Amino acid sequence: MKEKILVTGGTGYIGSHTTVELQNAGYEVVIIDNLSNSNRGVLDGIEAITGQRPTFVEGDCTDLDTLSRLFAENPGIKGIINFAASKAVGESVQKPLLYYRNNLNTLTNLLELMPSNGVKGIVFSSSCTVYGEPDRNPIDETAPIKPATSPYGNTKQISEEIIQDYVRSGAPIKSIILRYFNPIGAHPSALIGELPVGVPQNLVPYLTQTAAGIRKELTVFGDDYDTPDGSCIRDYIDVVDLARAHVTAMRRMLENDDTDAVEIFNLGTGRGLSVLELIASFERATGVKVPYRIGDRREGDIVKIWADPRLANEVLGWKAEADIDDTMRHAWAWQCRLSE
Ligand code: UD1
């Protein structure tokens, strides 16, 4: 029998790609999503790719009764991957309570319901944002956590602590915390990808919308940083590579009895790319020019951060494999599909 996994936020960007990889790996997926940042059409994309339609529950994970009912109606869930969260840094500064409520109540509800429903493990989406501006790169999991610079970042730090405290209290669960670097790209089929709402704040959606003529020009936020070309450096990781890591993490929790109850892994490529290098990769991969100008620095930006992913490579047996130009091609194919 297929093992059942609950994917919260499963119609969202990373959730939908992870659902595809879980189904391809032989898991049965139940999705809960409140569709606040996605739509039901994503389920068609998942079905077209995998030939299977995940069970879908429209609902809000901040509501304990909704989740209790979900577990009662879908018995046998063995693991949870929690993507249900708000994720816009700027918005979190404007609406901190929304972020604390959504992100923290969702997590505490899920944790509370795990033992009584026989759920063994939860994979939690954290972020490299917990490291702040690193003292050195690449950065590994032992690096100090820096004070959060936004309510969004703070929810990630607090969530990691909530999980640790709960496990320490003797709760019979396991957790793998994954610290993502910068997820980009789309499924190679162009059937699922990131859905834009309003003006994109993140680099790649803004770049592809500019290339598509939806935005006039891309602004590079600063070229006078202490980096080789002056623009900021990030570790851009393909969303399908990222999704695969969740399957590996889930398998590790469910199948190995001798692993630590809480484990933390960086998910990155180990390679830093500047904003200008990313634009060059896009143009090289697609043959499409991106009109851009150099603008002011963006307040609060980290100058440079990239991952030391060796722990995930060695312990999870997972490695980022995608070539950056392929990733940019997939991001572009998805943008073209959206613009059809
Ligand atoms: C931010 C958050 C991170 C979050 C991630 C995904 C911070 C410090 N980090 O990452 O926690 O997980 O978003 O939501 O807030 N850039 C431009 N022009 C643009 C847009 C971006 O030059 O129009 C540059 C930025 O200056 C940065 C890079 O592109 O150097 C990546 O920016 P972005 O995609 O917004 O991600 P982060 O800021 O790294």
Side-chain angles (χ1 to χ4, degrees):
M1 230 189 57
K2 288 183 173 181
E3 277 190 305
K4 217 181 274 180
I5 307 297
L6 174 64
V7 179
T8 74
T11 51
Y13 177 42
I14 306 173
S16 57
H17 290 80
T18 299
T19 297
V20 164
E21 297 307 316
L22 283 167
Q23 293 191 159
N24 283 343
Y27 289 100
E28 182 182 336
V29 176
V30 177
I31 288 176
I32 179 167
D33 202 301
N34 64 4
L35 303 179
S36 62
N37 199 12
S38 60
N39 60 58
R40 282 168 192 275
V42 174
L43 299 168
D44 300 333
I46 294 170
E47 188 176 2
I49 296 168
T50 62
Q52 292 167 69
R53 198 171 183 87
T55 301
F56 178 67
V57 176
E58 182 177 349
D60 201 306
C61 299
T62 60
D63 184 46
L64 192 68
D65 293 340
T66 301
L67 281 176
S68 300
R69 215 171 320 123
L70 182 150
F71 282 113
E73 288 168 4
N74 297 275
I77 289 171
K78 287 281 168 290
I80 299 173
I81 307 186
N82 179 29
F83 296 108
S86 301
K87 61 168 186 180
V89 177
E91 185 188 46
S92 80
V93 178
Q94 306 299 323
K95 302 177 185 168
L97 295 187
L98 177 76
Y99 275 66
Y100 288 116
R101 184 164 55 237
N102 276 352
N103 297 6
L104 302 183
N105 290 2
T106 291
L107 179 64
T108 54
N109 283 347
L110 291 169
L111 292 175
E112 184 175 338
L113 292 174
M114 285 174 71
S116 55
N117 288 284
V119 185
K120 276 173 78 174
I122 181 166
V123 178
F124 180 74
S125 310
S126 189
S127 165
C128 68
T129 196
V130 302
Y131 298 122
E133 183 78 53
D135 301 324
R136 59 187 140 79
N137 282 295
I139 188 155
D140 69 26
E141 294 82 353
T142 63
I145 302 298
K146 300 270 177 75
T149 54
S150 72
Y152 160 78
N154 208 19
T155 67
K156 294 300 176 193
Q157 297 196 2
I158 296 170
S159 294
E160 290 196 3
E161 290 174 4
I162 289 174
I163 292 169
Q164 306 264 19
D165 287 345
Y166 190 51
V167 168
R168 231 176 266 135
S169 77
I173 65 157
K174 282 183 160 187
S175 182
I176 291 186
I177 293 169
L178 300 175
R179 293 179 178 157
Y180 310 156
F181 283 66
N182 287 55
I184 60 165
H187 196 268
S189 65
L191 290 166
I192 54 172
E194 191 169 6
L195 288 168
V197 255
V199 182
Q201 305 301 309
N202 294 119
L203 177 59
V204 172
Y206 204 102
L207 186 160
T208 58
Q209 287 196 5
T210 306
I214 300 168
R215 313 270 156 216
K216 202 167 117 275
E217 64 183 2
L218 170 71
T219 305
V220 174
F221 295 141
D223 71 345
D224 55 353
Y225 285 105
D226 178 23
T227 61
D229 67 21
S231 63
C232 293
I233 296 178
R234 297 286 183 278
D235 186 333
Y236 295 95
I237 172 154
D238 189 283
V239 67
V240 176
D241 275 336
L242 192 70
R244 284 193 300 104
H246 293 76
V247 179
T248 316
M250 182 55 73
R251 195 176 288 134
R252 179 174 170 84
M253 282 192 305
L254 298 186
E255 292 175 11
N256 294 8
D257 289 331
D258 54 351
T259 58
D260 287 348
V262 181
E263 295 182 300
I264 301 181
F265 298 102
N266 281 345
L267 295 183
T269 66
R271 177 174 170 220
L273 281 183
S274 73
V275 177
L276 293 171
E277 283 173 320
L278 199 77
I279 296 172
S281 159
F282 179 86
E283 293 185 337
R284 185 168 64 231
T286 64
V288 180
K289 282 267 165 236
V290 183
Y292 72 88
R293 70 177 183 91
I294 307 297
D296 292 339
R297 292 179 174 195
R298 178 170 72 176
E299 204 189 313
D301 255 338
I302 302 292
V303 181
K304 47 189 167 188
I305 182 165
W306 64 95
D308 180 341
R310 277 179 301 177
L311 196 66
N313 298 164
E314 287 159 19
V315 176
L316 288 180
W318 165 91
K319 203 170 185 324
E321 285 166 1
D323 172 79
I324 185 68
D325 287 9
D326 287 337
T327 300
M328 296 315 270
R329 262 189 289 276
H330 298 153
W332 180 232
W334 171 245
Q335 178 64 54
C336 294
R337 175 119 206 266
L338 283 176
S339 312
E340 269 171 12

